[in-house]
Amino acid sequence: MTSATFNQSVDGILNKTTLSTQKKSIRPRGSAVLLMLVATVVSSSATLAQQDQPVVARIRFDGATRTTEAYMLSLIRSRPGGPFRQDVVDADALRLLRTGKFLSVTSDTQAGPEGTTIIFRVVERPTVHTIRFEGNHVIKDRALADKVPIEPGDPFDAFSVREGRDNILAAYRDKGYGYAAVEVDQARARSSGELIYVIEEGPTVRVRQVWFEGNQAIDAKQLKKQVRTKPTLWIFRTGVFDPDSVEADAADLQRFYRGEGFLDARVSYRVEPGAEPGDLRVVFTIVEGEPYLVESIRIEGAAVLSDQEILGMMKTQPEGVIKQADLDADVEAVQTAYGEQGHIYSIVQAGRVFSTTPGYVIITIGISEGERVEVGRIVVRGNENTQDKVVRRALDLFPGDTFNLSLARAAEDRLRATRIFDRVSVTPVGSGPGVRDILLFVNETESTNDLVFGMGVTSNSGLVGSILLDIKNFDIFDTPRTFSELIKFRAFRGAGQRLRLELQPGTELNRFRIDFTEPYLFDKPLRFDLSLYLFSRAREGYDEQRTGSSVSLGKRLIDGLGPRSWFKDWYGELSFRAENVDVDNADIFTDKSIREVRGSTVLTSVRGTLVRDRTDNRFLPTRGDRWTMSYEQFLGDFNFGKLRANYARHLTLSTDRQGRNSVLSLRTSAGIILGDSPVFENFYAGGLGSIRGFGFRGVGPRGGISDDPIGGEFLLTASAEYSFPLAGELLRGVVFTDMGTVEEKLELTSWRVSVGFGVRLTIELFGPVPIEIDIAAPLIRDADDEERIFSFFIGGTF
């Protein structure tokens, strides 16, 4: 736009404004005219600037031979005829590079009379045309090709080439070729497109022995737990030799020694040939040195807790051996103590320095206490269907309380244990002085209503079907307003109660149960359980049917007793049972104790139970223990008492590279009946879950002409089971020994012992199908016992 044109435009606007105001008979104000002038100037200036901005005349790609220009043009934003912007060009170059097709991308520009020419210079990645394997005999080409994440026609990628080499090497070592080597000429692959893996298989080797030399303070049994390299064991362990793994084992042993206070310890290894070709002995050589002692412990920064209080909660003490595990536990204990007193932002750190006295170290516990915090508001978020109180009542903190981190973590555990929520967090929020609100965030599981169909077969009970409706977030008072709400599970929900309806028809066993649980009766930490059941089973010598109900109240005993009391982790329960027992089809040759209870028997009982569960997982524990003690007093047609105690302890002996645990489980059970009990309430043993190697109820007193099991008044069993991974996450092996007895009264006249092995497998069909197979042989038995070498359980859902 020329100056004359611009002046004419302004004059035209002024003339139009004058005419417009004349029509309205209003005189124009000067400010309005000025604003219009400014707007026109800005618009005209923008037009001039746009006319002066360079445009893209052409776009050229140099260096591409396999990549089409159309493909590259589709990736960039610069366009011929469009405005030229350098920042857009730079972004286009980066976008091309990110395709992975080019080793490098640069851009250049050339100005011309028609505009700017953009030139992208690319260096293409070489393409792999051929993948070959040389020197392989044990593993075929097709199997090796599956290990290489590159296919013919793909761009060459050095990382993927190395990954393929590592995968091939791992495959050979898994087959016992510990000295296998794999080489690849990457330069040749770049230049010619021919990727060749050259393999030197070497001999097949197996680790037959793992030895330790130089260990004096720590025995070999403990050291074996620290290494992944294991000698071969028929069927269960291959004994693969992996040089990288052995090298890591030596480093782990050295780290273990130093963690035990041997700060100067050094560990190396050597490999020796075994007695047979291909056999190896791995020898770890250890220079232990002397364990370092603690000269003194210095506490820095503590004001809330005294030095004596802090030292009192520490395992590490002056003149004791410095152990890293103990020191880590000490830091956690001190941190927990501060968190329980409201100092939720405290920081506790431990440091050590060598003393001038040889063989001693000085420990420093540095503490930054931070301010003491109280609880402000408690806000619940994320619960769409669950009532707020269900979430709040799990938290033993209230506004105005001292913020206790241990109680906050305990609330998270309790809410996760309900299985109503899959994610839970208790987070302090806010920035006010001395006060933090609590954000209690929960994420509800996708479905808290399960309708499950299943079927199983077991050597104890034959074929059993299962139909289960399990509602984990039930509300007995949330009645449906319409039939649609009922069938779509939009009613009876939100109060954290649980309702289970289960039907189990079978060839030998039939059962129907209704179970209702209110975990917080009257919004108090008091659990209420109600059960109604119908049970029938064909026994040896008679048929048994039970119809009854039970009511129980349970409570954790920790409340009001402090976190360090003896009752920590204990749970108490008081229950009442009433049932009718029918005994039918007892022939005349059965034992007198069976014939005496033919017909109906009414039983009522009151039972008190104490449970302490410190296992890490209720269903598949790997560490911790569980105590159960109970006494039940029966009244009605029979008056007697039943005292029982069970204990189980689980120890993780080792963890492999995939994080799979090898677990030793020790269990014992004892029971005694005080008074005269009917035959159907006696103790029995044998079969799965009891003494394997014997039939179900195959251990204990027998009676009648047909030697039917009649049970006894005293039971004592024990077992030790070692479980270890075999393949993947789903297949495990077990070896075990079971022992015990059932006696007519409190005495030990006989004892049974069996040993065996088995497998545990979980397969996926319509749902998880657990399979347990055990083979056991009695070593010590009684003449009348019923043996069963093979026992099994297969269960599934669909």
Side-chain angles (χ1 to χ4, degrees):
M1 181 182 290
T2 62
S3 176
T5 305
F6 174 73
N7 291 334
Q8 290 173 2
S9 298
V10 174
D11 292 341
I13 292 171
L14 290 175
N15 291 334
K16 290 179 181 178
T17 304
T18 304
L19 292 173
S20 176
T21 53
Q22 287 175 350
K23 289 180 181 178
K24 294 183 179 181
S25 302
I26 300 174
R27 296 182 61 188
R29 295 183 178 179
S31 58
V33 176
L34 181 59
L35 286 173
M36 297 180 68
L37 282 172
V38 171
T40 304
V41 171
V42 171
S43 175
S44 301
S45 299
T47 304
L48 288 172
Q50 186 172 2
Q51 289 182 351
D52 293 339
Q53 185 176 3
V55 297
V56 178
R58 285 180 299 277
I59 298 177
R60 198 174 78 212
F61 300 94
D62 292 348
T65 58
R66 296 184 304 273
T67 310
T68 64
E69 181 175 328
Y71 170 77
M72 292 184 287
L73 193 61
S74 69
L75 296 173
I76 63 176
R77 294 181 178 176
S78 299
R79 288 289 180 269
F84 170 81
R85 288 177 53 189
Q86 186 61 48
D87 59 334
V88 174
V89 174
D90 295 339
D92 289 340
L94 183 60
R95 198 172 289 110
L96 289 170
L97 187 62
R98 285 175 175 170
T99 63
K101 293 181 175 292
F102 309 104
L103 291 173
S104 65
V105 178
T106 59
S107 63
D108 196 4
T109 58
Q110 293 179 355
E114 298 179 358
T116 302
T117 300
I118 302 174
I119 305 168
F120 292 101
R121 295 185 174 88
V122 300
V123 178
E124 291 180 314
R125 287 183 182 273
T127 300
V128 176
H129 300 295
T130 306
I131 300 177
R132 290 195 295 112
F133 306 95
E134 295 181 356
N136 58 305
H137 303 286
V138 176
I139 304 178
K140 302 304 181 183
D141 287 2
R142 180 176 297 179
L144 293 178
D146 292 338
K147 307 293 182 183
V148 180
I150 300 179
E151 295 182 357
D154 290 346
F156 176 86
D157 180 68
F159 178 82
S160 298
V161 171
R162 287 194 300 271
E163 184 181 354
R165 172 192 172 278
D166 294 341
N167 292 343
I168 294 172
L169 195 58
Y172 269 96
R173 289 179 176 174
D174 286 344
K175 287 184 172 293
Y177 291 82
Y179 291 110
V182 181
E183 300 294 336
V184 59
D185 189 346
Q186 295 198 23
R188 179 177 179 177
R190 286 192 183 95
S191 59
S192 66
E194 190 175 23
L195 179 60
I196 303 174
Y197 288 96
V198 181
I199 302 166
E200 184 180 345
E201 294 179 332
T204 176
V205 292
R206 287 286 186 271
V207 177
R208 292 291 179 181
Q209 294 174 314
V210 177
W211 284 3
F212 303 91
E213 286 185 356
N215 56 306
Q216 301 293 327
I218 304 176
D219 62 26
K221 289 183 179 180
Q222 192 170 358
L223 296 178
K224 286 180 180 179
K225 300 175 184 178
Q226 311 303 321
V227 299
R228 298 185 179 94
T229 302
K230 305 291 183 183
T232 182
L233 181 62
W234 180 73
I235 294 180
F236 300 113
R237 206 162 52 214
T238 60
V240 169
F241 172 72
D242 185 343
D244 295 337
S245 181
V246 177
E247 187 76 33
D249 287 339
D252 289 343
L253 279 174
Q254 181 168 296
R255 192 177 303 110
F256 171 72
Y257 260 96
R258 294 184 177 182
E260 290 295 305
F262 296 85
L263 303 183
D264 298 327
R266 299 190 306 278
V267 180
S268 58
Y269 78 94
R270 68 177 185 272
V271 179
E272 299 176 349
E276 300 293 333
D279 290 353
L280 296 180
R281 179 189 302 119
V282 177
V283 182
F284 292 98
T285 57
I286 302 165
V287 179
E288 291 182 334
E290 295 295 327
Y292 276 71
L293 304 179
V294 178
E295 181 177 272
S296 62
I297 300 176
R298 301 172 182 173
I299 311 295
E300 298 179 352
V304 174
L305 298 176
S306 67
D307 291 0
Q308 289 74 21
E309 288 177 311
I310 294 174
L311 289 172
M313 65 182 69
M314 291 176 60
K315 295 181 179 180
T316 307
Q317 295 294 324
E319 296 302 323
V321 175
I322 173 65
K323 295 187 176 183
Q324 188 60 46
D326 289 348
L327 196 57
D328 292 342
D330 294 338
V331 170
E332 184 176 354
V334 176
Q335 187 87 57
T336 299
Y338 271 98
E340 290 175 349
Q341 298 198 27
H343 295 267
I344 62 176
Y345 299 114
S346 63
I347 300 174
V348 180
Q349 295 176 318
R352 70 184 184 196
V353 294
F354 290 98
S355 171
T356 55
T357 304
Y360 281 87
V361 295
I362 299 172
I363 303 298
T364 302
I365 304 296
I367 302 171
S368 174
E369 295 180 331
E371 66 173 345
R372 180 178 175 275
V373 175
E374 292 184 352
V375 177
R377 297 181 305 152
I378 299 176
V379 182
V380 178
R381 291 288 183 270
N383 53 320
E384 297 181 4
N385 301 312
T386 309
Q387 300 171 16
D388 277 8
K389 70 175 184 179
V390 174
V391 182
R392 290 176 181 273
R393 67 194 182 191
L395 182 65
D396 292 333
L397 289 172
F398 301 92
D401 287 354
T402 298
F403 204 121
N404 188 319
L405 280 180
S406 295
L407 294 180
R409 300 290 87 83
E412 293 178 344
D413 294 338
R414 279 194 288 269
L415 287 169
R416 277 190 287 264
T418 64
R419 297 172 63 191
I420 298 173
F421 313 105
D422 53 19
R423 285 191 295 118
V424 181
S425 64
V426 179
T427 309
V429 295
S431 57
V435 178
R436 292 294 183 274
D437 296 334
I438 291 180
L439 175 60
L440 229 171
F441 176 79
V442 295
N443 187 74
E444 296 174 336
T445 55
E446 291 186 4
S447 175
T448 55
N449 306 319
D450 297 324
L451 180 60
V452 181
F453 299 88
M455 183 172 292
V457 60
T458 167
S459 54
N460 283 1
S461 304
L463 184 65
V464 180
S466 177
I467 303 173
L468 170 66
L469 174 62
D470 188 3
I471 306 175
K472 292 184 283 293
N473 195 10
F474 189 69
D475 185 355
I476 196 171
F477 299 110
D478 181 25
T479 55
R481 290 169 293 184
T482 64
F483 181 72
S484 175
E485 282 190 347
L486 177 64
I487 63 175
K488 293 181 179 179
F489 295 111
R490 293 179 180 173
F492 294 117
R493 65 177 181 176
Q497 300 162 356
R498 187 168 189 177
L499 180 68
R500 285 172 57 92
L501 288 80
E502 184 172 17
L503 174 64
Q504 289 184 314
T507 56
E508 299 178 24
L509 167 71
N510 292 278
R511 179 164 51 196
F512 174 70
R513 289 185 64 93
I514 300 175
D515 297 304
F516 171 77
T517 299
E518 168 56 81
Y520 281 79
L521 186 63
F522 307 124
D523 292 324
K524 303 293 184 184
L526 185 65
R527 173 173 169 145
F528 171 79
D529 288 281
L530 172 65
S531 296
L532 304 172
Y533 55 87
L534 174 64
F535 169 92
S536 65
R537 169 138 195 173
R539 304 288 190 190
E540 290 186 60
Y542 64 97
D543 293 336
E544 175 187 337
Q545 178 174 302
R546 296 178 184 240
T547 306
S549 65
S550 65
V551 178
S552 64
L553 294 173
K555 190 178 188 301
R556 292 192 175 275
L557 304 183
I558 184 60
D559 296 343
L561 297 176
R564 302 186 187 279
S565 74
W566 187 84
F567 286 99
K568 188 179 189 309
D569 299 320
W570 283 94
Y571 174 83
E573 182 180 84
L574 184 65
S575 61
F576 174 79
R577 172 163 63 120
E579 65 182 20
N580 183 78
V581 183
D582 285 320
V583 173
D584 297 321
N585 299 326
D587 61 59
I588 60 174
F589 299 108
T590 59
D591 188 74
K592 178 183 177 182
S593 62
I594 298 177
R595 297 197 307 271
E596 287 177 342
V597 295
R598 286 180 296 185
S600 296
T601 300
V602 176
L603 287 180
T604 59
S605 71
V606 177
R607 183 179 63 189
T609 305
L610 284 175
V611 180
R612 185 185 70 181
D613 191 343
R614 298 187 296 186
T615 56
D616 60 340
N617 187 296
R618 179 69 182 275
F619 303 101
L620 296 172
T622 62
R623 53 178 54 87
D625 63 350
R626 178 182 172 88
W627 268 106
T628 303
M629 295 178 287
S630 68
Y631 177 76
E632 187 170 13
Q633 180 62 49
F634 289 81
L635 302 169
D637 293 342
F638 289 88
N639 297 323
F640 62 96
K642 184 180 285 189
L643 179 65
R644 297 209 62 167
N646 299 282
Y647 179 71
R649 182 169 180 81
H650 308 277
L651 304 154
T652 295
L653 301 185
S654 63
T655 303
D656 65 12
R657 187 174 300 175
Q658 287 79 37
R660 303 174 301 180
N661 294 319
S662 295
V663 181
L664 175 64
S665 297
L666 306 173
R667 299 180 178 89
T668 185
S669 178
I672 183 171
I673 293 175
L674 307 175
D676 296 327
S677 61
V679 65
F680 47 76
E681 284 295 331
N682 285 344
F683 291 119
Y684 296 85
L688 281 173
S690 181
I691 308 176
R692 288 162 287 192
F694 297 87
F696 177 63
R697 291 191 167 191
V699 171
R702 292 177 173 270
I705 297 177
S706 55
D707 279 339
D708 296 323
I710 58 174
E713 296 181 352
F714 176 64
L715 165 76
L716 180 62
T717 62
S719 70
E721 180 176 282
Y722 177 63
S723 169
F724 51 92
L726 286 178
E729 297 290 337
L730 303 179
L731 181 62
R732 296 181 65 84
V734 296
V735 293
F736 57 84
T737 178
D738 295 336
M739 59 190 71
T741 186
V742 175
E743 304 284 353
E744 291 183 4
K745 55 185 178 180
L746 182 56
E747 59 183 359
L748 283 176
T749 62
S750 60
W751 191 251
R752 283 80 167 177
V753 177
S754 66
V755 295
F757 64 91
V759 294
R760 304 290 182 263
L761 174 65
T762 301
I763 60 176
E764 290 288 339
L765 292 178
F766 300 99
V769 179
I771 299 175
E772 298 181 10
I773 300 174
D774 291 324
I775 297 175
L779 299 182
I780 302 175
R781 61 184 296 272
D782 195 75
D784 295 330
D785 291 338
E786 178 188 344
E787 295 185 19
R788 177 169 287 164
I789 304 298
F790 180 74
S791 57
F792 62 93
F793 168 79
I794 302 174
T797 59
F798 53 89

